[in-house]
């Protein structure tokens, strides 16, 4: 089915940074029967990818990115209860956060949301999380999985530093490490000794499940 009539206003509201219009668009699309996953991928995420492209081309600057992010988050809040009820099997206790120096949290929030939906207990550490804070959270909560997000090439090394900190604390073998974020790759995950990488939130749930079982 072609949902373009419903998706276009959402896409445009994110590009315009118009949070009320984004929420109204998401609500209208849901009412029209567009599946939440389609609104997420083809409305919100594809608009945010375009925002990134416009930023690269110097057509958008940080303030525009910020209002677009707020608009997207407004729309996401309406999708949250629907995305979270995926009904998959539980996959452990996850400490998740965006690494030190990095403030991007939309992708991390989505992953946290989907993991919760899959029955995981999620401890969300927020953004700018130092290796020591990750280690403390794992110990304090007895987490079985740690999920790290990085959106900047300059903050990716913090993933490796966190893995080293887990080793130094003597708990590396007690917890599986999964990483993600736009610049992160499978090759990078192998290079830093993470247990897994996934490119999006739904595959992150599958990854968490397979890591819990391994
Ligand atoms: C929105 C945005 C911002 C917002 C963030 C608001 C917020 N609350 O998050 C603001 C305006 C604050 C911002 C600031 C900056 N940003 Co910015 N930002 C973006 C933008 C446009 C979108 C990111 C986003 O939310 N995408 C949508 C989500 C859904 O996708 P995602 O994050 O990739 O997440 C998915 C997957 O990666 C994966 N995933 C994510 N995390 C995890 C974790 C795990 C464990 C797993 C398994 C999977 C997983 O699943 C998610 C869901 O599917 C990107 C462009 C882009 N194309 O990525 C630039 C971008 C990331 N930003 C960039 C830059 C340069 C900056 C600034 C340095 C700009 C500046 N000069 O100040 C600052 C840095 C601030 C800081 N210290 O962090 C560059 C990074 C370049 C680089 N190679 O390092 C990008 C790529 C833009 C560009 N094309 O140049 N930014």
């Amino acid at each position: 089915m072609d949902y373009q009539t419903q998706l276009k206003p959402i896409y445009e509201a994110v590009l315009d940074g118009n949070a009320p219009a984004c929420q109204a668009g998401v609500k209208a699309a849901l009412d029209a029967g567009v599946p939440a996953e389609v609104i997420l991928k083809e409305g919100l995420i594809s608009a945010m990818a375009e925002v990134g492209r416009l930023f690269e081309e110097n057509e958008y600057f940080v303030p525009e990115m910020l209002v677009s992010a707020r608009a997207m988050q407004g729309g996401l809040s309406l999708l949250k209860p629907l995305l979270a009820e995926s009904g998959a099997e539980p996959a452990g206790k996850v400490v998740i956060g965006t690494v030190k120096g990095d403030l991007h949290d939309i992708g991390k929030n989505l992953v946290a949301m989907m993991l919760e939906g899959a029955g995981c207990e999620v401890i969300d550490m927020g953004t700018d999380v130092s290796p020591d804070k990750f280690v403390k959270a794992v110990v304090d909560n007895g987490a079985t999985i740690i999920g790290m997000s990085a959106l900047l090439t300059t903050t990716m090394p913090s993933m490796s530093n966190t893995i080293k900190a887990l080793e130094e604390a003597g708990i590396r073998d007690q917890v599986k490490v999964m990483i993600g974020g736009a610049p992160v790759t499978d090759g990078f995950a192998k290079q830093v000794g993470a247990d897994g990488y996934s490119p999006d939130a739904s595959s992150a749930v599958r990854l968490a499940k397979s890591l819990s079982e391994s």
Side-chain angles (χ1 to χ4, degrees):
M1 198 175 152
D2 185 12
Y3 296 124
Q4 280 319 308
T5 327
Q6 282 84 26
L7 295 175
K8 200 159 174 271
I10 301 172
Y11 184 91
E12 283 173 359
V14 173
L15 280 182
D16 294 344
N18 186 337
C22 183
Q23 284 208 322
V26 169
K27 196 169 177 310
L30 287 173
D31 288 345
V34 184
E37 293 78 22
V38 174
I39 300 178
L40 175 66
K41 286 198 183 121
E42 292 172 32
L44 298 172
I45 292 186
S46 71
M48 203 41 110
E50 175 65 4
V51 170
R53 193 190 67 77
L54 290 167
F55 178 77
E56 250 166 67
E57 304 206 333
N58 292 322
E59 283 185 47
Y60 271 25
F61 299 94
V62 173
E64 284 87 355
M65 271 205 297
L66 197 57
V67 286
S68 288
R70 286 201 190 124
M72 174 164 178
Q73 271 160 341
L76 261 184
S77 63
L78 292 177
L79 294 182
K80 182 172 178 178
L82 300 164
L83 293 171
E85 64 190 25
S86 66
E89 281 167 47
K93 200 175 207 185
V94 188
V95 160
I96 194 166
T98 303
V99 299
K100 190 169 164 54
D102 203 320
L103 302 175
H104 296 84
D105 66 358
I106 298 176
K108 183 266 297 167
N109 292 346
L110 254 176
V111 173
M113 202 187 273
M114 302 286 272
L115 287 172
E116 270 179 9
C120 289
E121 187 179 337
V122 177
I123 298 109
D124 189 344
M125 304 293 296
T127 59
D128 193 21
V129 183
S130 66
D132 289 351
K133 274 198 197 155
F134 270 120
V135 169
K136 189 171 183 307
V138 169
V139 173
D140 289 352
N141 297 286
T144 50
I145 299 179
I146 166 168
M148 286 186 271
S149 180
L151 263 285
L152 299 170
T153 44
T154 49
T155 57
M156 285 165 70
S158 189
M159 295 178 152
S160 163
N161 294 339
T162 303
I163 293 173
K164 285 189 198 125
L166 290 169
E167 282 162 6
E168 279 159 19
I171 56 167
R172 177 65 187 90
D173 56 353
Q174 293 167 28
V175 63
K176 303 283 184 190
V177 178
M178 60 179 202
I179 61 176
V184 177
T185 59
D186 201 29
F188 180 75
K190 292 200 172 80
Q191 189 190 318
V192 297
D195 299 299
Y197 151 80
S198 91
D200 58 49
S202 36
S203 57
V205 172
R206 284 197 294 278
L207 175 63
K209 199 162 177 277
S210 76
L211 290 178
S212 298
E213 285 161 3
S214 63

